[in-house]
Each structure stands twice: as structure tokens, then as C-alpha cells.
Amino acid sequence: MTAPSWILTLDCADRPGIVAAVSGFLAVRGGFILDSQQYADLDAGRFFMRVEFNASREPFDTATLRREFAPLGEELGLRWAIADTSERPRVLIAVSKGSHCLNDLLHRWSTGSLGVEIAGVVSNHETLRGLTEWHGLPFELLPEGKEAQEAAILARVEAAGADYLVLARYMQILSPDLADRLAGRCVNIHHSFLPSFKGARPYHRAHERGVKLIGATAHFVTSDLDEGPIIEQAVERIDHRATVEDMIRIGRDIEAQVLARAVQWIGARRVFLNGARTIVFR
């Protein structure tokens, strides 16, 4: 069996001595650091740190760790969290009709490689009920009407104790109110043709323009449509031989991969919000 381990994440106004203070806190308690990453954003004057550790002596009690770390966190002005690595974040997935992102996430989850617990799936269509329930997860059809749909999503997030809402090709624009209520907790995926080819049939219009790169972006949702802090991106080069169907197929593959990586990194507590940007400790 793998020995228990914990993850400490923090960010704060940058100042000397933060790493030494954290390392010292762990050292006197018999903490053994397995992985440590830190970054100082000199422009913003903020410091970010992620430390994974286990116990070289008696195993830690998570509640005690948090209680004992709190005074140091207050002294240094930290925003911090300590979590047992067995405590996986819970996510609720929202979809419409496209199955590629959902199918990829469910497969990774079923094999234990996604790093999160999926609480269920909600959708504005019945199309993906069978796929969801085949994996043993609850599926909820959202009511008609934007206001009712968003109220149902919020209710499901709360009822499931979900830490994040993942939009796995949920083809609805969230209202500014819902985006604000889920700030830092809602992840979206979209093709890389924005803002050049907005709206319907983007691959057809990109093909007409002879684009040479296809890609995808995973980002946190904000009230500014598709402009939230970017978590992950990827591209693949194509040439004149690619048909519209080729482009759609390649685009779906990239979207699934990019979204999965973003969710995996969130599950491993590697993603930090930094204003309009993110810090991702890969």
C-alpha cells in the first residue's frame, strides 16, 4: 500500500523566508517532502507554492496539521490549504450532445487515472444518459429555460458537494450571475478558432480560410465569454489535404486531451488562480 501523503498549497504577497518557514514547520513534525514547487510572480508581487509530503515518523492527522499550520498561515498572510491526497476533489460534469470530452473523462475516471471523483452528469439533452449510466453515475436532465437550467445546475452542485463544475462541451452560455457564483470553480473547453470563427460551423469557416493549426483551450469560466484564465492549451498542425471532417475529428481529440489534463491538474491541486492568469505546477 502507498504511504499516506498530503498536499500543502499556498499563495501570498511575496516576501523572504516563506520556503524556510514552511520547510521548518514540516521538519520539526517529521514531515518528509516528496515534491516541492514554487514560483514568484515578480510583476504581481505574489508567491505560489505546492508541497507534497508524507510522515517520516507517526502518520499525520489532517485536522491537527491544519490547526497547527493556521498560526503560521496568519503570520505570513497566506491563502493556504492542506489536503490528504486520498481526498480527491469532486466534480460535476455538464454536457450537451457531443460525447468526445465526456467519454474521455469517464474512461479516465473509471480506470482511476483522472484524479477526481465525478459526482454525476447534467445535460440539456438526453443523448448521453446511456453513456453516463453505463459508468454507474447519476444523470440529470436539466429543465427547459435558461433560468431554470442554471438553478438546477447550482442545486446539483450543492447537493453533490461538488468542488468544480466541468463544462465538457456544454453548449450553453452561462449567465454572468452563475459565472460569478462559480468563480474559480468552473472549467470550460473550446476550440482554438476563437475569436476568429465564432458561432456556428467554425470548422467549415476555418477550412474555407485554409487554417494550418487546430487546437483547444481549457480555462476557468468568467462573465467575459471564453476569456477566463487559461489552464491548458494544445495545437496540432494540418495542411491543405485536411477535409472539414478531418479537422473536426482532430479538433475533438485535442479538446478531450486538453480538458482531461486540466481536470487532472486541478485534481492534483496544481492549478492556482493569479488574476487573469493561472499558475500550473506540472
Side-chain angles (χ1 to χ4, degrees):
M1 294 181 62
T2 303
S5 60
W6 291 261
I7 296 172
L8 165 64
T9 55
L10 63 89
D11 70 278
C12 60
D14 201 6
R15 55 177 285 186
I18 301 169
V19 175
V22 171
S23 300
F25 171 86
L26 294 175
V28 298
R29 289 163 178 79
F32 185 85
I33 294 177
L34 303 171
D35 180 68
S36 179
Q37 293 177 280
Q38 52 272 336
Y39 172 72
D41 184 339
L42 300 181
D43 293 329
R46 293 202 65 80
F47 179 81
F48 302 83
M49 188 174 186
R50 178 189 184 275
V51 183
E52 185 171 349
F53 60 95
N54 62 17
S56 62
R57 299 196 293 267
E58 293 297 318
F60 294 120
D61 173 79
T62 305
T64 301
L65 268 176
R66 291 169 177 162
R67 184 176 65 252
E68 293 182 350
F69 189 81
L72 180 61
E74 183 175 358
E75 176 187 342
L76 297 177
L78 309 179
R79 291 189 300 190
W80 62 275
I82 295 176
D84 188 317
T85 53
S86 65
E87 300 173 4
R88 295 186 169 191
R90 290 175 61 81
V91 303
L92 179 70
I93 300 175
V95 297
S96 289
K97 293 183 178 180
S99 63
H100 54 289
C101 287
L102 177 64
N103 188 55
D104 188 80
L105 292 174
L106 294 182
H107 172 72
R108 292 172 190 262
W109 171 78
S110 68
T111 59
S113 63
L114 191 58
V116 299
E117 288 298 330
I118 298 179
V121 175
V122 298
S123 179
N124 55 334
H125 295 279
E126 282 278 3
T127 309
L128 298 176
R129 178 184 291 276
L131 174 63
T132 301
E133 294 181 345
W134 186 86
H135 283 86
L137 290 168
F139 179 94
E140 182 174 326
L141 179 65
L142 297 171
E144 294 186 5
K146 188 179 187 65
E147 187 174 339
Q149 283 185 359
E150 293 197 346
I153 289 173
L154 269 179
R156 185 64 184 135
V157 167
E158 294 173 3
D163 302 292
Y164 294 92
L165 174 67
V166 175
L167 308 181
R169 300 301 289 164
Y170 178 63
M171 306 304 289
Q172 300 291 312
I173 298 174
L174 300 192
S175 68
D177 178 64
L178 183 58
D180 290 342
R181 294 183 70 171
L182 294 175
R185 301 174 55 205
C186 184
V187 179
N188 188 34
I189 184 73
H190 63 70
H191 57 75
S192 65
F193 297 141
L194 298 174
S196 299
F197 305 110
K198 292 183 178 180
R201 297 167 64 86
Y203 284 94
H204 291 76
R205 289 186 289 135
H207 182 264
E208 291 170 0
R209 287 291 305 277
V211 300
K212 298 297 186 281
L213 290 173
I214 294 177
T217 296
H219 64 95
F220 285 112
V221 173
T222 66
S223 55
D224 294 324
L225 180 62
D226 293 325
E227 295 186 11
I230 294 168
I231 304 169
E232 171 63 339
Q233 294 176 300
V235 296
E236 185 167 332
R237 183 169 292 280
I238 60 171
D239 62 24
H240 57 277
R241 294 171 294 182
T243 65
V244 171
E245 290 71 24
D246 291 332
M247 293 172 65
I248 292 173
R249 173 180 53 79
I250 294 168
R252 287 174 176 170
D253 287 345
I254 299 173
E255 287 174 358
Q257 294 168 29
V258 168
L259 182 59
R261 285 199 292 269
V263 172
Q264 285 173 329
W265 293 338
I266 286 171
R269 297 174 171 86
R270 295 183 178 276
V271 181
F272 296 71
L273 277 167
N274 183 25
R277 304 166 57 208
T278 62
I279 308 300
V280 181
F281 289 129
R282 298 178 60 173

